[in-house]
Amino acid sequence: MTGVKIVGVGHYAPERIVDNHDLEQWLDTSDEWITTRTGMKRRHWTSENEATSDLALAAARNALASAKLEPNDIDAYILCTVYPDYLFPATACIVASKLGARDKAAFDMEIACSGFIYGLTVASSMIRAGVYKRIVLIGAETLSKLVDRTDRGTAILFGDGAGAVVLEAAVEDSFLGSELGSDGSRPELLRVETGGSRLPVSHATLDRKADRIHMEGREVFKFAVTKMIEATDRALEKAHLQKSDVDVLIPHQANKRIIDAAMKYLEIPPERCVVNIQEYGNTSAASIPIALSEAVRDGRVKPGDVIVFVGFGGGLSWGAVVWKWAA
Ligand code: UT7
């Protein structure tokens, strides 16, 4: 068997819902501005005692249940996040243990909002190469804890949640093509500046809130539209498919205007594009697997469908995967 397929999906979002009117209470913003500029209405935020691993654990449990598999049936756990529980050890190790998996491979991947696209490519490649038979791939984020909640440019955008898939070796291959890219020449466009080896945390960095997300929104917006289009085109080319072959497109949920602009160019009608940004905001590496999980649950993804997953984010980074949904 040299193919791979998805045999389980699941997601989880924290109970607390913060809607646009809640944000109006402490930010100079409005429901009208947020809705028209982003398409967001609500987002989920963790409580103080919830960490990324807690969300990841719940999503992984749901995905394993839908696959009817036990944690020890899995060979490796991969977790994509920008905000792990700790700088180290890897949050995936904690999640695998809490699930009850023993001695399994577990590691984190950090490539910001493109995490799930990169993760899907890496995990699929490991299975197609025969290294592992089954992998749980999770995207999980608690960005409400990483934003400056007084910065209206970012606080309104980000939400918390987790999505997970179970990948399994298969005769027929679901992985049809992947295009990944990055440009690290301008990290300041979207980053958390302090906390790493370049600029360790100090009183001075904390005082100027360098431990919070900083984003040049307009610049990122322009890049996002271009790269979503390019990545989708190239991944389809590698899969020897046309835009008209796409049954379902599942984009990173960063801004409804970004999604609409890209869909227009790609000539993908709205009914073929999965959008849940109004409920979750931008959940970074979790946004695509959450959207997939909801789309599968709602019957919007059917056996034989050609799906394009496409994402972009900090790095800057971007990518798209073309996937055939197995029976
Ligand atoms: O997943 C990671 C990737 N991230 C993204 O893809 C985000 C990409 N960027 C965006 O989605 C958009 O740039 C934002 C939603 C962040 C901002 O929307 P925009 O249409 O680009 O607004 P802008 O930054 O150009 O600001 C327009 C105006 C400004 O006021 P002035 O200077 O024209 O008077 C801002 O100060 O809107 C103001 N503004 C706000 N007003 C009310 C900015 N944020 C807000 C706000 N509420 N929350």
Side-chain angles (χ1 to χ4, degrees):
M1 288 198 281
T2 52
V4 58
K5 63 178 175 177
I6 291 175
V7 293
V9 286
H11 69 280
Y12 173 79
E15 266 174 38
R16 182 181 171 200
I17 293 173
V18 176
D19 70 19
N20 293 347
H21 296 293
D22 294 326
L23 295 168
E24 285 172 353
Q25 303 305 308
W26 72 87
L27 284 170
D28 179 15
T29 191
S30 64
D31 173 48
E32 200 266 332
W33 192 96
I34 300 172
T35 307
T36 52
R37 298 286 182 126
T38 71
M40 296 169 187
K41 292 300 262 182
R42 289 165 284 279
R43 67 286 293 144
H44 295 249
W45 281 9
T46 47
S47 58
E48 239 169 70
N49 57 3
E50 272 176 311
T52 297
S53 67
D54 298 315
L55 276 50
L57 183 66
R61 277 202 182 115
N62 290 339
L64 284 166
S66 92
K68 298 187 175 59
L69 290 169
E70 298 296 325
N72 281 303
D73 296 331
I74 304 300
D75 304 309
Y77 289 84
I78 304 177
L79 173 59
C80 308
T81 188
V82 292
Y83 205 34
D85 284 20
Y86 310 107
L87 261 184
F88 73 89
T91 303
C93 302
I94 296 164
V95 173
S97 276
K98 283 193 177 167
L99 282 167
R102 292 193 50 183
D103 302 338
K104 305 297 182 183
F107 62 94
D108 289 356
M109 287 179 62
E110 193 279 285
I111 185 78
C113 302
S114 309
F116 186 78
I117 302 294
Y118 272 69
L120 187 58
T121 303
V122 168
S124 298
S125 304
M126 290 175 103
I127 289 177
R128 294 166 94 226
V131 178
Y132 291 125
K133 196 172 162 226
R134 291 194 189 108
I135 295 177
V136 166
L137 173 67
I138 311 164
E141 302 285 13
T142 49
L143 293 185
S144 71
K145 293 187 170 190
L146 198 56
V147 287
D148 169 4
R149 291 189 186 181
T150 65
D151 171 17
R152 68 178 184 175
T154 53
I156 59 148
L157 298 173
F158 294 104
D160 304 337
V165 297
V166 182
L167 295 153
E168 188 176 82
V171 176
E172 202 182 327
D173 202 2
S174 287
F175 183 93
L176 304 183
S178 166
E179 168 73 15
L180 304 178
S182 76
D183 175 359
S185 62
R186 295 173 74 196
E188 68 281 2
L189 291 179
L190 180 48
R191 75 173 170 196
V192 174
E193 194 186 356
T194 193
S197 58
R198 173 66 54 199
L199 188 65
V201 178
S202 66
H203 289 296
T205 64
L206 293 181
D207 284 348
R208 62 180 178 85
K209 295 184 175 175
D211 61 327
R212 308 283 104 189
I213 294 175
H214 170 85
M215 181 173 72
E216 309 274 334
R218 262 180 247 186
E219 289 292 309
V220 176
F221 190 110
K222 281 186 265 168
F223 136 86
V225 176
T226 314
K227 290 303 177 189
M228 265 177 87
I229 294 167
E230 273 178 27
T232 302
D233 273 344
R234 295 215 177 118
L236 282 169
E237 212 174 283
K238 287 178 177 172
H240 307 292
L241 291 171
Q242 313 290 320
K243 290 174 201 159
S244 55
D245 295 318
V246 179
D247 297 301
V248 184
L249 193 133
I250 305 188
H252 170 46
Q253 312 280 312
N255 187 320
K256 180 72 165 53
R257 284 157 55 219
I258 294 177
I259 297 173
D260 288 346
M263 290 313 100
K264 195 170 167 203
Y265 175 85
L266 291 166
E267 295 162 10
I268 299 202
E271 61 274 15
R272 284 201 223 148
C273 181
V274 178
V275 177
N276 63 4
I277 197 168
Q278 65 283 0
E279 299 301 327
Y280 295 95
N282 180 346
T283 57
S284 184
S287 86
I288 292 174
I290 293 174
L292 171 67
S293 176
E294 289 198 330
V296 170
R297 182 194 63 193
D298 300 345
R300 295 183 62 186
V301 171
K302 295 174 289 305
D305 277 355
V306 171
I307 305 175
V308 170
F309 301 107
V310 57
F312 55 88
L316 299 173
S317 62
W318 58 89
V321 169
V322 186
W323 193 270
K324 186 164 190 173
W325 195 254

